Amino acid sequence: MSRLTGKTALVTGSSRGIGRATAIRLGREGALVAVHYAANTAAAEETVALIEKDGGQAFAVQAELGVPGDVHTLSLGLEQQLKDRTGETTLDILVNNAGETTATGIPFEEVTGAVFDRFFAVNARAPFFLVQRALAHLPAGGRIINISSGLTRVANPDQIPYAMTKGAIEQLTLHLARLLAPRGITVNTVAPGITDNGGPVFDIPEVVKHMASLSAFDRVGQTGDVADVITFLATDEARWITGAFLDATGGTLLG
């Protein structure tokens, strides 16, 4: 399939997990994919290699998010590499996937100002200003896809700062969708649920069994399950969808 041939895409945090699966899917559809990573060069290069193995095109771009100058550093690297490869700096698809999180959460009483600020710097501030910077390069038909979480719909007191940042991302989607619709740019949110990202917790059978029981399908999500939803939103088939919250939790929110 080649629904995205001739398109360019940036997937933040795509050296692993849902970001990696998304980058691979977009590359498989024909997009030139910028694989963003914070520090793990080997993992990012592995993502690039997997895309190229499938016959796609990709390159890695490094920038730590949540620090001063993060968006500027990322954007400069992206724009230069796009220019080198395509002769232009057009960016058709932006997937704001990178996020600060913890596997088990943090008790409310133990959240410090530094921890709180870090969550917002990576999960809310960086996407906001990345979109702002990218607007000069997004053409008509462009796609912005923000990754939220099912935790904006269910209560987990150990994940309050994280859930708050994802609520902010959903508001970013809502208001940008109205702002950018006249330019033919869609903006949507995808909310994964429990997804096997290769973390150590997914090697514990009893924990996996419990997590699986939370889904209507009685299984833990795979990264490809979510990546396929994101990829659909990036295609022309999703041109009439904007400002939407797509539940990709495998029915976890059904109760």
Side-chain angles (χ1 to χ4, degrees):
M1 300 178 70
S2 55
R3 294 181 293 175
L4 298 176
T5 296
K7 303 292 186 180
T8 58
L10 167 64
V11 184
T12 65
S14 48
S15 62
R16 59 187 291 275
I18 291 171
R20 170 179 281 186
T22 300
I24 291 171
R25 295 296 198 276
L26 294 175
R28 195 174 291 162
E29 292 285 356
L32 168 62
V33 184
V35 175
H36 162 261
Y37 69 103
N40 194 334
T41 302
E45 290 177 347
E46 183 178 357
T47 301
V48 170
L50 289 168
I51 294 169
E52 293 176 340
K53 182 180 179 181
D54 279 348
Q57 302 177 73
F59 60 87
V61 57
Q62 189 275 333
E64 181 183 355
L65 299 181
V67 300
D70 53 356
V71 169
H72 182 65
T73 299
L74 172 53
S75 298
L76 278 182
L78 171 68
E79 292 159 13
Q80 184 59 59
Q81 295 210 56
L82 286 175
K83 184 76 171 178
D84 291 345
R85 286 167 170 76
T86 70
E88 301 177 343
T89 58
T90 301
L91 179 66
D92 298 288
I93 302 158
L94 170 59
V95 181
N96 282 311
N97 167 76
E100 182 80 5
T101 187
T102 58
T104 58
I106 306 171
F108 178 74
E109 297 83 355
E110 297 177 14
V111 176
T112 64
V115 167
F116 187 92
D117 290 346
R118 173 68 180 172
F119 272 102
F120 271 86
V122 176
N123 298 0
R125 188 181 191 280
F128 180 99
F129 287 104
L130 189 55
V131 171
Q132 187 185 75
R133 174 71 174 250
L135 285 185
H137 307 284
L138 279 161
R143 300 284 188 265
I144 299 172
I145 303 160
N146 296 320
I147 308 306
S148 182
S149 168
L151 283 169
T152 63
R153 300 297 192 274
V154 295
N156 183 337
D158 286 346
Q159 294 280 9
I160 291 175
Y162 176 75
M164 288 175 68
T165 64
K166 292 307 183 179
I169 277 290
E170 292 175 16
Q171 288 300 306
L172 181 65
T173 291
L174 178 68
H175 298 285
L176 281 178
R178 172 63 72 181
L179 176 67
L180 300 180
R183 290 180 50 181
I185 297 170
T186 67
V187 190
N188 291 290
T189 292
V190 173
I194 297 171
T195 307
D196 186 350
N197 61 6
V201 69
F202 293 97
D203 293 327
I204 307 173
E206 57 270 27
V207 174
V208 172
K209 182 178 180 180
H210 171 69
M211 292 190 293
S213 71
L214 301 176
S215 164
F217 298 112
D218 196 31
R219 71 172 176 85
V220 168
Q222 301 300 308
T223 56
D225 295 326
V226 182
D228 284 345
V229 177
I230 297 169
T231 301
F232 162 70
L233 287 175
T235 68
D236 187 59
E237 284 92 331
R239 63 191 175 277
W240 204 234
I241 302 172
T242 197
F245 171 93
L246 273 71
D247 177 350
T249 69
T252 301
L253 303 182
L254 294 176

